[in-house]
């Protein structure tokens, strides 16, 4: 059976070049980078090279990149570290209702420990209104954290404008760029970003490695306590092969950026067009203009997402859904809820993300199967266009 | 994902039995709502001996809701109304060979939809059944919203 992977926002396969770059660092070059003897020199050099490669992807300097265990740790560190370092200045954070749980659950934790959090709304297109940020900033605001690209609906926020508002008020600006790095051009200096989270496994690198960019001069407390690694800012023996893989993936993402964007957006647009041409009562969620190049988030009325996902899976197609029935918590997607999509329609929502390995044949096969699946489930369904919800 | 369901559940989901609507049905019942994520509509043909001669369903819902609907309609065809009312959601789950804990509410959907359809039949034919005492077909279906969040 044909296998079609359409969940590149969940994770990506490691590219061959990335794996090849990593392999020697498991067996041949294994010296602990903190050790003083000569065999560790190669480990130190490899980390320095990777740090430069990651820095280049976002226009940072090497000294501003700190490796972490992934996007989640980078997000936790940014929030916990900045709020701790600035606790004498204030206790208010501003974020949005559509952040990843790595941000939202950290904010909930901080709320239990005396911090106040404002969760900004988004409009029906999934966009944060700069005026809403301006209005939310208070004297005691210490940090604004707004994701660059949303992981579900793929919306790309006006980061430059939002960061400028924070800066005008002397407030630090963090962005979760886990979905954005390698998918849009990023220049932290030009965009005015103080802190930025990244993860390797979304850019064809390995899982369990990421980084936090901290602009020079930004005060941030440590989150991981222990040894003196990462210039004493992040303790723990470095994930050497992971860091090397992240570096290589970042280098390739930078070199391939335009080709990647063109490839993904043309296949994504083709996917959306073909679905819309062959099925009625289907909607795209989130702005099509300001969007992740590979993301298609679509609602199929009158049917439920987990059922769609299972049928597609039986045909070798991997997608994800915003439906409550497929989440362990039985709660519908907080992101789609924030866009104002009615709950019954959230249940029928799929996220499909294309990537570098996706082909036009994959899309043709997916559309062919999806149309059959949607029609079959609509036949089984107790709601329909004629009868209404 | 697919391996969260056993083969029997997957078979009933992929090839559901008794999909449709019976014209001039003797009893029709609906349970659940699309807002809650699942809604089942069931129609019954019942003969003069109170035997269910046919049952058809339409369900908006996930894999286990569709599989539960399919197996539950299979279970009641050929049974008397009294026997059908006695079927519990545990028996529906057992017939499916088990459902993941988080999906147990989907079997309740089928069990309640059957009761709603029989209730409609009883109303139309002036009958009463002990098993329907206190049953309200319009009761809010909120029994699966108190499952604690686990992530
Ligand atoms: C927007 C966003 N932030 C954070 C994360 C967490 O990253 P990681 O999986 O590397 O911990 C993800 C990935 O799931 C994400 O999409």
């Amino acid at each position: 059976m044909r296998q079609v992977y359409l969940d590149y926002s969940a994770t990506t396969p490691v590219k061959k070049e990335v794996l090849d770059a990593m392999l020697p660092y498991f067996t041949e070059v294994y010296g602990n980078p903190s050790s003083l003897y000569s065999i560790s020199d190669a480990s130190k050099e490899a980390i320095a090279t990777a740090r430069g490669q990651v820095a280049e992807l976002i226009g940072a300097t090497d000294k501003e990149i700190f490796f972490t265990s992934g996007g989640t740790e980078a997000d936790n560190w940014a929030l916990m570290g900045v709020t701790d370092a600035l606790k004498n200045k204030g206790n208010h954070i501003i974020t949005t209702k559509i952040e990843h749980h790595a941000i939202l659950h950290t904010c909930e934790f901080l709320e239990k420990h005396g911090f106040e959090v404002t969760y900004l709304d988004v409009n029906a297109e999934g966009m944060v209104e700069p005026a809403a940020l301006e209005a939310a900033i208070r004297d005691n605001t210490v940090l604004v954290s707004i994701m660059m690209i949303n992981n579900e609906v793929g919306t790309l926020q006006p980061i430059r404008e939002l960061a400028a508002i924070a800066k005008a008020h002397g407030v630090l600006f963090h962005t979760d760029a886990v979905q954005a790095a390698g998918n849009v051009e990023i220049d932290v200096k030009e965009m005015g970003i103080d802190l930025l989270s990244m993860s390797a496994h979304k850019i064809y690198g390995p899982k369990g490695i990421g980084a936090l960019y901290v602009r020079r001069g930004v005060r941030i407390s440590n989150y991981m306590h222990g040894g003196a690694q990462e210039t004493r800012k992040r303790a723990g023996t470095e994930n050497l092969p992971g860091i090397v893989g992240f570096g290589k993936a970042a280098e390739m993402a930078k070199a391939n950026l335009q080709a990647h964007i063109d490839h993904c957006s043309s296949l994504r647009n083709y996917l959306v067009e073909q679905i819309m041409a062959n099925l009625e009562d289907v909607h795209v969620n989130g702005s099509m203009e300001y969007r992740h190049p590979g993301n298609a988030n679509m609602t199929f009325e009158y049917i439920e997402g987990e059922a769609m996902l299972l049928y597609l899976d039986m045909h070798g197609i991997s997608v994800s859904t915003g439906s409550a029935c497929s989440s362990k918590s039985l709660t519908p997607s907080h992101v789609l809820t924030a866009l104002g999509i009615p709950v019954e329609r959230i249940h029928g929502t799929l996220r499909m993300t294309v990537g570098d390995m996706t082909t036009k044949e994959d899309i043709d096969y997916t559309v062919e199967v999806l149309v059959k699946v949607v029609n079959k489930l609509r036949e089984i369904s107790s709601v329909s266009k004629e009868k209404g919800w | 994902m697919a391996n969260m369901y056993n083969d029997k559940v997957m078979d009933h989901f992929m090839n559901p039995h008794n999909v449709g609507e019976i014209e001039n049905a003797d009893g029709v019942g609906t349970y659940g709502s699309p807002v809650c994520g699942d809604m089942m509509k069931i129609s019954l043909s019942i003969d003069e001996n109170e035997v269910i001669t046919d049952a058809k369903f339409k369900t908006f819902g996930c894999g286990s809701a569709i599989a539960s609907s399919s197996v539950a309609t299979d279970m009641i065809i050929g049974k008397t109304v009294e026997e059908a009312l006695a079927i519990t959601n545990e028996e529906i789950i057992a017939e499916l060979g088990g459902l993941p804990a988080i999906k147990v509410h989907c079997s309740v959907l089928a069990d309640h939809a059957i009761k709603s359809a029989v209730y409609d039949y009883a109303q139309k034919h002036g009958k009463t059944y002990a098993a329907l005492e206190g049953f309200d077909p319009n009761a809010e279906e909120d029994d699966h919203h108190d499952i604690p969040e686990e992530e």
Side-chain angles (χ1 to χ4, degrees):
Chain A
M1 184 174 52
R2 195 181 181 104
Q3 290 291 328
V4 177
Y5 182 71
L6 291 182
D7 206 13
Y8 283 82
S9 274
T11 195
T12 57
V14 171
K15 284 190 175 164
K16 173 89 170 58
E17 296 89 330
V18 172
L19 178 66
D20 288 344
M22 292 170 71
L23 285 176
Y25 294 89
F26 286 100
T27 49
E28 290 155 41
V29 186
Y30 55 82
N32 189 320
S34 298
S35 301
L36 293 179
Y37 33 70
S38 327
I39 65 154
S40 287
D41 290 350
S43 305
K44 291 190 188 76
E45 278 160 31
I47 291 176
T49 302
R51 200 182 305 283
Q53 290 163 325
V54 171
E56 272 221 6
L57 181 61
I58 60 164
T61 63
D62 299 15
K63 289 198 172 74
E64 296 170 314
I65 299 295
F66 300 92
F67 290 112
T68 64
S69 62
T72 300
E73 187 193 325
D75 283 345
N76 273 259
W77 181 17
L79 266 52
M80 304 287 284
V82 168
T83 52
D84 182 73
L86 300 181
K87 61 179 179 287
N88 294 324
K89 182 174 177 265
N91 68 338
H92 179 233
I93 307 163
I94 300 170
T95 184
T96 77
K97 289 190 177 159
I98 63 166
E99 298 298 311
H100 190 269
H101 285 135
I103 294 289
L104 290 179
H105 289 169
T106 306
C107 285
E108 283 162 24
F109 176 86
L110 286 165
E111 282 180 295
K112 281 191 213 140
H113 289 80
F115 285 86
E116 290 165 20
V117 183
T118 300
Y119 299 90
L120 299 177
D121 283 314
V122 292
N123 63 23
E125 292 269 271
M127 304 296 286
V128 177
E129 308 271 9
L133 172 61
E134 179 77 50
I137 294 182
R138 309 183 200 152
D139 290 344
N140 64 341
T141 308
V142 290
L143 180 66
V144 173
S145 177
I146 297 177
M147 70 200 315
M148 193 173 289
I149 286 186
N150 178 266
N151 46 300
E152 283 187 50
V153 288
T155 48
L156 171 65
Q157 301 301 333
I159 293 297
R160 227 178 243 96
E161 214 177 321
L162 296 166
I165 292 169
K167 187 168 185 186
H169 292 270
V171 177
L172 292 176
F173 188 87
H174 166 254
T175 187
D176 175 339
V178 168
Q179 294 289 341
N183 281 309
V184 286
E185 188 101 45
I186 301 177
D187 185 325
V188 287
K189 304 294 164 191
E190 192 240 320
M191 296 168 97
I193 297 164
D194 297 307
L195 302 110
L196 177 148
S197 305
M198 278 181 275
S199 182
H201 74 99
K202 312 284 186 183
I203 60 165
Y204 309 94
K207 294 163 183 63
I209 186 76
L212 182 65
Y213 151 80
V214 183
R215 183 177 56 75
R216 226 181 131 197
V218 167
R219 281 175 57 204
I220 183 166
S221 300
N222 285 7
Y223 180 63
M224 289 295 235
H225 304 278
Q229 292 88 358
E230 299 293 284
T231 56
R232 299 184 182 276
K233 302 270 347 139
R234 196 279 186 182
T237 297
E238 297 86 343
N239 174 357
L240 182 59
I243 289 171
V244 170
F246 187 13
K248 184 68 190 173
E251 181 193 63
M252 292 177 71
K254 171 109 184 149
N256 297 337
L257 186 63
Q258 199 51 52
H260 167 82
I261 293 173
D262 293 345
H263 174 79
C264 291
S265 58
S266 74
L267 286 179
R268 186 271 317 277
N269 293 346
Y270 179 61
L271 173 67
V272 171
E273 282 159 23
Q274 287 299 305
I275 290 173
M276 301 293 260
N278 286 286
L279 286 168
E280 282 181 22
D281 300 312
V282 181
H283 316 281
V284 179
N285 301 310
S287 164
M288 275 307 277
E289 194 179 353
Y290 304 103
R291 198 183 188 96
H292 181 294
N295 173 291
N297 184 292
M298 303 178 82
T299 296
F300 300 82
E301 289 202 59
Y302 319 122
I303 53 177
E304 194 279 329
E306 190 222 68
M308 273 189 274
L309 187 150
L310 284 172
Y311 270 126
L312 292 171
D313 188 43
M314 295 301 279
H315 290 92
I317 302 166
S318 311
V319 303
S320 81
T321 162
S323 164
C325 294
S326 65
S327 80
K328 287 188 195 128
S329 58
L330 291 181
T331 48
S333 151
H334 67 282
V335 176
L336 299 169
T337 304
L339 264 70
I341 299 169
V343 185
E344 65 274 19
R345 286 179 174 75
I346 293 178
H347 291 305
T349 299
L350 295 184
R351 177 188 73 180
M352 295 163 279
T353 30
V354 305
D356 283 352
M357 291 78 171
T358 311
T359 63
K360 182 170 176 294
E361 289 69 40
D362 289 338
I363 304 296
D364 287 331
Y365 173 72
T366 300
V367 172
E368 185 195 317
V369 173
L370 184 64
V371 168
K372 280 190 207 140
V373 165
V374 170
N375 286 332
K376 174 164 178 178
L377 285 169
R378 281 180 175 172
E379 230 160 80
I380 298 173
S381 182
S382 52
V383 285
S384 62
K385 190 185 187 73
E386 294 72 35
K387 291 184 195 145
W389 288 92
Chain B
M1 185 78 207
N3 63 15
M4 74 185 269
Y5 294 130
N6 66 42
D7 289 349
K8 182 136 190 210
V9 175
M10 282 309 283
D11 193 43
H12 273 282
F13 167 57
M14 297 296 287
N15 306 296
H17 309 170
N18 316 311
V19 174
E21 276 170 276
I22 299 173
E23 271 181 56
N24 306 318
D26 297 301
V28 179
T30 303
Y31 202 76
S33 85
V35 173
C36 295
D38 42 29
M39 179 165 107
M40 179 177 180
K41 185 173 179 191
I42 184 164
S43 48
L44 305 174
S45 292
I46 300 171
D47 71 11
E48 61 285 359
N49 301 319
E50 298 193 14
V51 172
I52 297 170
T53 54
D54 198 8
K56 292 225 180 292
F57 82 88
K58 287 238 170 175
T59 292
F60 168 93
C62 61
S64 49
I66 292 171
S68 300
S69 303
S70 169
V71 87
T73 44
D74 269 358
M75 285 167 81
I76 60 172
I77 295 174
K79 291 221 166 60
T80 65
V81 168
E82 294 271 7
E83 286 166 346
L85 285 173
I87 291 172
T88 62
N89 72 305
E90 286 85 3
E91 287 169 308
I92 296 171
I93 295 174
E95 189 67 23
L96 281 172
L99 277 180
I102 199 154
K103 296 290 188 180
V104 166
H105 68 269
C106 298
S107 59
V108 179
L109 179 80
D111 158 42
H112 279 60
I114 293 169
K115 288 201 169 63
S116 296
V118 173
Y119 183 91
D120 179 53
Y121 165 76
Q123 294 275 303
K124 283 181 187 153
H125 296 77
K127 295 185 190 277
T128 51
Y129 297 99
L132 284 179
E133 212 164 292
F135 178 79
D136 177 2
N138 300 312
E140 277 295 308
E141 186 225 11
D142 56 5
D143 46 358
H144 64 265
H145 288 290
D146 27 289
I147 294 165
E149 182 159 346
E150 41 154 291
E151 232 173 302

